[in-house]
Amino acid sequence: MKDNWFSSHIRQVHVDFHTPEFPYDAIKDFNAETFVAEFVRAKVNVIGIFTKCHFGNAFYDNQVGHKHSGLAQDFFGEVLEEAHKHNIKVIAYYSLGTDAYAVEHNPDWYQIDKDGNKRGGKGTVWELPCINSPYREELVIPQLKEITEKYPMDGYLIDIPYLWDHHCFCRYCQKKFSEEYSMELTPELLTSNPKLVNGFAKQSAARCMQEIYDVVKAIRPEVLVNCNGAWKMGEPAEINATSDYGLWESQPASGTFLCHSIRARFVRSLPVPVQIMTVRFTEGWGLMSCKTAEQLKYEFATIMANGGVINIGDQVLPSGKLQSGVYDIIGDAFSFVEEREQLCIGSTATKHIALIGSYTENWYFEQGDSATLGAAKMLIEGHHQFDIFFNDDFPDLSAYKVVVLPETVRLNQQSAERIAEFVRRGGLLLAAGEASLNQGGGGGRTNFLLAEVLGVDYLDRTPYPFAYMTENTELWEGTAAIPQLVEGPFLKVKASASEALSYIQWPLTVPAPQRAFRHPIPPAGRISDFPAITANRFGLGDALYISGPIFSIYWDNNHFWLRRIVNNLLNKYDRDRPFTVEVPPTVEVNLMEKDGARYLHLINFHNGHSGSRKQSFYDPIESITPVHDVKVMFHDAAIREVIQWPEGTVLDLSLDSKGNGIQIIVPKLHIHSVLEMRY
């Protein structure tokens, strides 16, 4: 990881200030000392402060661009100076992809959609200029030069580098596209060759960000630069190259509180530190509500305990003031972080399971790939130690014991060969559905790239959109002794070398007129000849295969029996787990290492009952009920002492029943405890 201050400053606040000019008292109550005093008392050590907002209003003493008409002072400059007095780092926010003032005064700078319409919100905050228009040369670059020359900021956040939906048909994009590709940029081309059109837009964003990066570094090489979204899963390498740190917006607005953990388990293996950015708001940016301190402590714990950098979004009032009550809450939560952060900063994850998926969602409110999310959810709730990687972009697997491939993963031949070698040398593989399936084409045979490793060959699709798995007594432990439903289409596969542990059991029929049942999903019918779960010995390792899309179904339907079956399967074949715990699925467990020491993080979760989902994004956390007498087994007999932090309590040790590890009891787990193992 790049050595910079960013990774050691994890109590960060981003302060939104997208402010129109019509409020009569806009920015009339701003005072830099009282403004920064809120951060000081809340133990904040990094703040993101606006230089230009989505409305196109500048918040500094400028010669380039339009300064907010209600601002008499130098908002950015005064906050920067005051913050530095208190050793608070300052990141300069700049709105690139949205600028209402610029396009309203220069209509030819607008992005144009495929129907020939301007991309804008008709006078609202989302008026979209095109980065291929003179907007870049006449406003963006001169303004960023002015800001960078004038102020000794610590970093930049450049917001929204991309064209909307990765295409634009303005005359400037058409000109550049024609010059680069010697063909016309048209809506028809977007339909016939979306990869080419979208690729041009992404390349435009990368070139724009590279120009911005070079401008900033030429003036202040020490300043860290980032564009919003860089280093997310699936982000283009050209965009990542222009960002010294990463940013992944992560409010649990899609209904899940697992978002922070899942994202942190991906970014912790990257070469730069990455913000996992939540917000104070309960329902979207700028809603002037505030979460409880209990919820923020939980959210912050999931970020820092899993290797991310905490950042929380706030909103300045139109008057230019912060809400003190919000900083009472943030301060309480950051005091919680301060007690634990030295056990987290600079730590790296213990390697055990590599989950290789295809989670390419864009912003925090989008769900992303259900299969990757479902696999991560299963592993978190099953208390497994794992990291997440994107498709072919995974590291040397020699330090891992298990690889998990969800059904949507996309692997090339070289990646498949690397995984095959991993299993041959003693690793464990778990794959599902279409993982590594080569669709043939050109008359070639469709089969799995990992067919020999899995010990199965692809045969055919099935007509059923759902089916059942026949009971396996050992794998069905904790579930009803019945055929278990998988509400998704299985593949017909033929076992070439593997052992069938369960078979597909077809439903009685596909419901249709004259073939209706009480429920749209009929009961189980004939047992097929095709395996649902297989195990294959390959070299020194084992390969497990589930022929249905079990991970995406788990994410979409939350069918707990699927998690229990997969968990039993892993418990049977994963013989090298570094720890096991006896806690509910709502307790998350993660093992990290730092300076030769090992730290097991226990994170407890609890939220309230669901109400209407018509408007609310998720059920907020008002309080978290402690869990008592948590049993932890470390499969490491060399451990001599275990200390529970931040309490500093030395826990009693006992040998486990087999004598190959030690067992401890954690008397009480409220939100986040850290167990330090000493040797």
Side-chain angles (χ1 to χ4, degrees), residues 216-227:
V216 173
K217 293 294 186 177
I219 300 167
R220 295 189 187 273
E222 74 281 4
V223 169
L224 304 182
V225 178
N226 164 269
C227 69

Side-chain angles (χ1 to χ4, degrees), residues 212-508:
I212 290 171
Y213 187 89
D214 292 342
V215 162
V216 173
K217 293 294 186 177
I219 300 167
R220 295 189 187 273
E222 74 281 4
V223 169
L224 304 182
V225 178
N226 164 269
C227 69
N228 192 354
W231 296 99
K232 293 192 290 78
M233 199 170 190
E235 201 72 11
E238 295 83 0
I239 287 289
N240 291 342
T242 65
S243 293
D244 299 310
Y245 66 94
L247 167 58
W248 202 340
E249 293 192 40
S250 188
Q251 186 188 180
S254 58
T256 176
F257 282 91
L258 293 171
C259 51
H260 304 324
S261 299
I262 292 171
R263 289 163 183 171
R265 287 172 186 267
F266 171 74
V267 304
R268 68 192 187 188
S269 299
L270 297 175
V272 300
V274 179
Q275 290 175 339
I276 307 297
M277 182 185 282
T278 186
V279 292
R280 60 165 266 201
F281 323 110
T282 57
E283 295 168 37
W285 278 98
L287 178 72
M288 301 306 282
S289 59
C290 187
K291 298 171 180 173
T292 65
E294 199 93 335
Q295 177 166 336
L296 290 183
K297 289 174 185 178
Y298 166 74
E299 291 189 39
F300 292 171
T302 61
I303 295 169
M304 68 176 171
N306 285 295
V309 172
I310 299 165
N311 189 295
I312 180 170
D314 185 24
Q315 176 73 38
V316 185
L317 292 171
S319 65
K321 297 181 69 175
L322 297 169
Q323 292 181 301
S324 291
V326 169
Y327 286 87
D328 294 337
I329 300 295
I330 292 177
D332 187 3
F334 274 158
S335 292
F336 173 91
V337 171
E338 189 179 40
E339 288 182 317
R340 295 160 171 80
E341 64 183 11
Q342 291 309 313
L343 303 174
C344 303
I345 292 170
S347 61
T348 58
T350 298
K351 295 176 173 59
H352 186 68
I353 296 177
L355 168 59
I356 303 172
S358 188
Y359 178 43
T360 57
E361 64 88 60
N362 189 9
W363 304 111
Y364 67 86
F365 50 81
E366 296 174 353
Q367 285 281 1
D369 177 67
S370 293
T372 305
L373 290 167
K377 184 174 186 288
M378 279 192 183
L379 293 175
I380 289 171
E381 294 174 342
H383 311 121
H384 297 277
Q385 178 70 16
F386 71 101
D387 300 315
I388 303 178
F389 302 99
F390 179 67
N391 289 341
D392 297 311
D393 190 20
F394 57 90
D396 175 22
L397 294 171
S398 60
Y400 289 90
K401 302 294 184 182
V402 185
V403 168
V404 175
L405 301 179
E407 52 268 23
T408 54
V409 68
R410 294 294 175 260
L411 301 176
N412 59 30
Q413 183 66 47
Q414 182 181 18
S415 295
E417 290 170 359
R418 293 174 61 199
I419 293 170
E421 184 62 19
F422 164 79
V423 179
R424 184 180 290 110
R425 294 186 177 186
L428 173 64
L429 172 66
L430 170 61
E434 296 186 18
S436 92
L437 187 66
N438 174 13
Q439 295 294 338
R445 182 192 172 200
T446 298
N447 204 357
F448 300 101
L449 295 176
L450 291 165
E452 184 182 3
V453 180
L454 297 172
V456 299
D457 290 308
Y458 172 80
L459 183 62
D460 203 356
R461 305 279 174 174
T462 79
Y464 299 104
F466 41 77
Y468 296 81
M469 298 188 294
T470 59
E471 180 192 355
N472 176 306
T473 302
E474 187 176 13
L475 300 184
W476 262 234
E477 182 181 354
T479 69
I482 60 174
Q484 291 291 2
L485 172 68
V486 177
E487 205 170 334
F490 281 83
L491 299 180
K492 289 182 179 180
V493 299
K494 181 179 181 180
S496 58
S498 60
E499 172 192 3
L501 305 180
S502 172
Y503 284 88
I504 302 171
Q505 189 166 358
W506 304 129
L508 280 171

Side-chain angles (χ1 to χ4, degrees), residues 22-174:
F22 67 83
Y24 73 93
D25 62 345
I27 326 182
K28 299 302 183 186
D29 294 333
F30 168 69
N31 177 278
E33 290 186 8
T34 57
F35 192 90
V36 173
E38 298 289 1
F39 303 123
V40 174
R41 72 183 185 86
K43 299 180 180 295
V44 178
N45 54 21
V46 179
I47 54 176
I49 300 297
F50 272 38
T51 60
K52 187 189 78 167
C53 74
H54 286 348
F55 290 101
N57 296 322
F59 293 91
Y60 68 99
D61 286 340
N62 63 317
Q63 298 297 316
V64 182
H66 172 70
K67 185 176 181 180
H68 195 293
S69 60
L71 180 61
Q73 306 101 312
D74 183 350
F75 174 80
F76 178 77
E78 292 178 28
V79 172
L80 174 68
E81 182 178 4
E82 185 66 21
H84 278 177
K85 291 178 184 177
H86 297 277
N87 296 316
I88 297 174
K89 302 286 188 180
V90 177
I91 294 173
Y93 170 91
Y94 183 87
S95 178
L96 172 64
T98 302
D99 189 320
Y101 190 92
V103 292
E104 286 167 357
H105 289 79
N106 303 274
D108 61 309
W109 292 359
Y110 264 109
Q111 292 181 37
I112 302 298
D113 66 20
K114 60 183 176 60
D115 298 317
N117 300 317
K118 296 176 182 177
R119 282 198 175 121
K122 296 180 174 58
T124 66
V125 71
W126 297 110
E127 304 290 346
L128 307 180
C130 181
I131 54 177
N132 284 328
S133 77
Y135 167 65
R136 192 198 311 185
E137 286 77 11
E138 295 182 24
L139 179 62
V140 173
I141 296 303
Q143 198 166 41
L144 286 170
K145 282 184 177 179
E146 179 180 59
I147 295 167
T148 310
E149 289 169 350
K150 189 176 180 69
Y151 302 106
M153 75 287 288
D154 301 288
Y156 262 111
L157 167 55
I158 309 298
D159 199 13
I160 314 177
Y162 293 114
L163 297 171
W164 193 261
D165 283 341
H166 299 307
H167 63 268
C168 170
F169 296 95
C170 75
R171 60 183 171 125
Y172 299 105
C173 281
Q174 290 179 328

Side-chain angles (χ1 to χ4, degrees), residues 500-574:
L501 305 180
S502 172
Y503 284 88
I504 302 171
Q505 189 166 358
W506 304 129
L508 280 171
T509 187
V510 175
Q514 320 319 315
R515 296 202 309 274
F517 282 83
R518 176 64 181 84
H519 191 278
I521 297 178
R526 295 183 180 88
I527 297 176
S528 77
D529 297 325
F530 305 105
I533 306 174
T534 62
N536 185 50
R537 189 69 176 171
F538 182 77
L540 300 176
D542 294 293
L544 309 172
Y545 177 68
I546 302 171
S547 57
I550 195 165
F551 295 120
S552 57
I553 298 307
Y554 182 60
W555 181 259
D556 292 338
N557 296 336
N558 207 32
H559 288 165
F560 63 88
W561 55 87
L562 302 181
R563 184 196 71 238
R564 292 185 178 185
I565 290 169
V566 170
N567 199 52
N568 291 335
L569 190 63
L570 284 173
N571 287 342
K572 175 179 172 64
Y573 285 91
D574 182 6

